[in-house]
Amino acid sequence: MMKKPTQLMLSAVATAVAMAGSIACVQAQEDGINIGGSVRVNYGLKLYDDSSKDKGGDLVFDTATLVFKGKKGDFGLAAEYRFTTSTNFIKYGYGYYDIDPDWQIQFGINKVPFGNPGFISNSWWFGLPYYLGFEDDHDIGIKAVYEKNGWHTDLAFYKGAEYGPSEIKRYATDLFTGTIDTTYDGIDNGTEYNNEETNQLNLRQTYTLEYEGGSTTIGASVEVGQIYNNKTGNNGDRYAVAAHMTSQFNGWTLQLQAMQYEYDAADAIDDNKIGVSVVNWQYEIASKGRVYSLNLAKTMSTSWGSVKCYNDFGLMTPDVADSSYDNSIQNVTGCAISTGPTYTMIDFIMGKNMTFSTKNNDHVGLPEFGDDLDKRININFGYYF
């Protein structure tokens, strides 16, 4: 089994949770240009890896980010770029226009409106939908955003992913063109993929009910698009649907989401699976399945900042013709500590048949090698400016 560069994936999620609030509020910015960013280091200990345990884990530089926000009248821009020890890439970069207080148009690499607004996770590790291409994804296209009296509507069209299909230096998961080597126990099961995302439509509708002590947001999302085979010139199609809810009360937050997806690629060598890539790595996922997310968090204020403790659970059940395909599970228990300009996330990750969190199963929803529930510890420290 090839060893995947897990640390590079960590760079992809470097500042997502901590920066989410400020990014979402770009339309409230005053005229001018603001530049910010972060520098992060990461400690990781793989409890399923002898060399990692022998060393007591690894402490390494993770990522540096630069964030730009600019506004002039009703026009503005927002961008974020990331640097790691081995690569660099854009997370998002778009211009926007405030039509009126209720409507905004965004054009460029902007956040795909699918699933729970913001994130369907609290942890550094993201939720299971991220590894399938359905959490915190950013593609290139145009998006209209409407918000008034608790109603929030996102309508978007994306021509394609932020990078080409053979490029693996990307922040979030997209379809991949290339060969994925899945050698295991001397057997080479490498598969060639020639897929790229194109012509994608998204619609998300939510409603937020506010009450004393908190609020509840319920909603639904739809995504449809084509899969272009750049070898044969034929088009397949894809879709995803989701129902989601976030409820907050007196510091407690409950997130629920159920979704179904299908990638129906044209001229596929194996209809049961498809290749994807994310920051400097590529792997395979079941081409059709359902994903269930259940997250619970508690935020506590302190005299020096705040602490949020959480448990994020994700289950993926494949729905393909091959009955040997197995469920994938990811559970993350942890705490996020915010004090001054620093943000630290301490996570205990358990994975079963799940990429990035298991020793022998570098995929999601494919037939499982072994029957292990693997465990690892991750601590990420960031300084924001």
Side-chain angles (χ1 to χ4, degrees):
M1 184 77 172
M2 294 179 63
K3 298 296 183 182
K4 51 187 174 290
T6 305
Q7 182 55 42
L8 294 174
M9 187 281 292
L10 296 178
S11 299
V13 299
T15 58
V17 176
M19 299 294 288
S22 59
I23 292 169
C25 297
V26 65
Q27 61 265 40
Q29 179 187 329
E30 296 181 356
D31 283 5
I33 297 177
N34 295 322
I35 300 176
S38 68
V39 178
R40 304 189 68 94
V41 296
N42 195 84
Y43 169 79
L45 172 62
K46 302 174 184 177
L47 298 176
Y48 53 80
D49 183 270
D50 288 339
S51 63
S52 181
K53 290 191 294 183
D54 290 343
K55 294 184 294 181
D58 294 287
L59 179 65
V60 298
F61 166 76
D62 177 29
T63 189
T65 68
L66 283 177
V67 179
F68 299 88
K69 299 178 185 179
K71 185 172 173 61
K72 180 66 174 178
D74 294 328
F75 292 88
L77 62 86
E80 181 176 329
Y81 206 85
R82 300 191 170 204
F83 303 86
T84 73
T85 54
S86 60
T87 190
N88 57 86
F89 51 88
I90 192 170
K91 178 184 176 182
Y92 60 85
Y94 63 89
Y96 66 87
Y97 174 65
D98 291 327
I99 299 174
D100 59 33
D102 304 327
W103 282 95
Q104 183 182 92
I105 300 294
Q106 301 176 5
F107 181 75
I109 301 173
N110 57 66
K111 187 168 182 174
V112 176
F114 183 86
N116 190 69
F119 303 89
I120 184 62
S121 60
N122 298 283
S123 67
W124 169 259
W125 216 252
F126 274 137
L128 201 154
Y130 170 82
Y131 302 92
L132 302 169
F134 299 109
E135 182 182 12
D136 206 26
D137 189 20
H138 296 75
D139 291 329
I140 186 165
I142 186 168
K143 178 170 66 173
V145 181
Y146 170 82
E147 187 165 19
K148 187 175 183 179
N149 296 332
W151 293 97
H152 186 107
T153 305
D154 298 287
L155 178 62
F157 171 77
Y158 297 97
K159 187 57 186 173
E162 70 277 24
Y163 286 106
S166 60
E167 180 60 75
I168 61 175
K169 63 167 192 179
R170 60 179 76 246
Y171 167 80
T173 307
D174 289 310
L175 294 182
F176 175 65
T177 287
T179 299
I180 297 181
D181 181 9
T182 55
T183 301
Y184 184 77
D185 281 351
I187 301 174
D188 186 359
N189 297 311
T191 302
E192 179 186 354
Y193 294 97
N194 299 283
N195 301 313
E196 57 183 276
E197 302 173 8
T198 188
N199 299 331
Q200 177 177 311
L201 286 170
N202 283 85
L203 173 63
R204 179 172 63 193
Q205 180 65 59
T206 65
Y207 178 73
T208 300
L209 174 65
E210 296 185 353
Y211 43 80
E212 184 176 355
S215 64
T216 295
T217 299
I218 57 174
S221 303
V222 178
E223 177 176 306
V224 295
Q226 291 181 308
I227 304 173
Y228 178 67
N229 187 307
N230 48 44
K231 184 176 183 179
T232 68
N234 295 323
N235 282 305
D237 53 61
R238 54 197 167 94
Y239 81 90
V241 293
H244 33 83
M245 182 197 78
T246 296
S247 187
Q248 299 176 315
F249 182 72
N250 288 345
W252 289 94
T253 301
L254 173 67
Q255 292 182 320
L256 300 173
Q257 180 172 291
M259 63 164 289
Q260 178 172 302
Y261 74 92
E262 181 175 10
Y263 293 104
D264 186 10
D267 308 312
I269 296 174
D270 185 345
D271 290 333
N272 296 288
K273 61 182 183 177
I274 198 165
V276 297
S277 67
V278 71
V279 185
N280 271 28
W281 194 242
Q282 61 282 325
Y283 54 93
E284 295 171 315
I285 64 174
S287 59
K288 183 180 181 181
R290 298 181 178 89
V291 187
Y292 307 95
S293 302
L294 169 60
N295 308 325
L296 183 64
K298 171 65 173 177
T299 301
M300 297 157 284
S301 298
T302 70
S303 59
W304 41 263
S306 66
V307 177
K308 179 172 71 170
C309 294
Y310 47 79
N311 191 86
D312 295 345
F313 174 79
L315 167 67
M316 183 271 187
T317 62
D319 185 19
V320 296
D322 190 335
S323 61
S324 68
Y325 277 46
D326 294 312
N327 295 348
S328 290
I329 297 173
Q330 178 178 283
N331 192 87
V332 185
T333 303
C335 289
I337 303 169
S338 176
T339 178
T342 69
Y343 196 75
T344 304
M345 303 191 79
I346 305 169
D347 291 327
F348 176 68
I349 303 104
M350 295 187 292
K352 182 174 175 59
N353 200 33
M354 182 66 198
T355 188
F356 289 113
S357 58
T358 58
K359 181 178 182 179
N360 295 319
N361 293 282
D362 184 18
H363 52 240
V364 185
L366 271 64
E368 183 177 10
F369 296 117
D371 188 28
D372 298 322
L373 181 66
D374 288 330
K375 306 170 185 69
R376 63 186 299 161
I377 295 170
N378 197 80
I379 302 174
N380 194 271
F381 173 82
Y383 180 89
Y384 292 82
F385 56 90

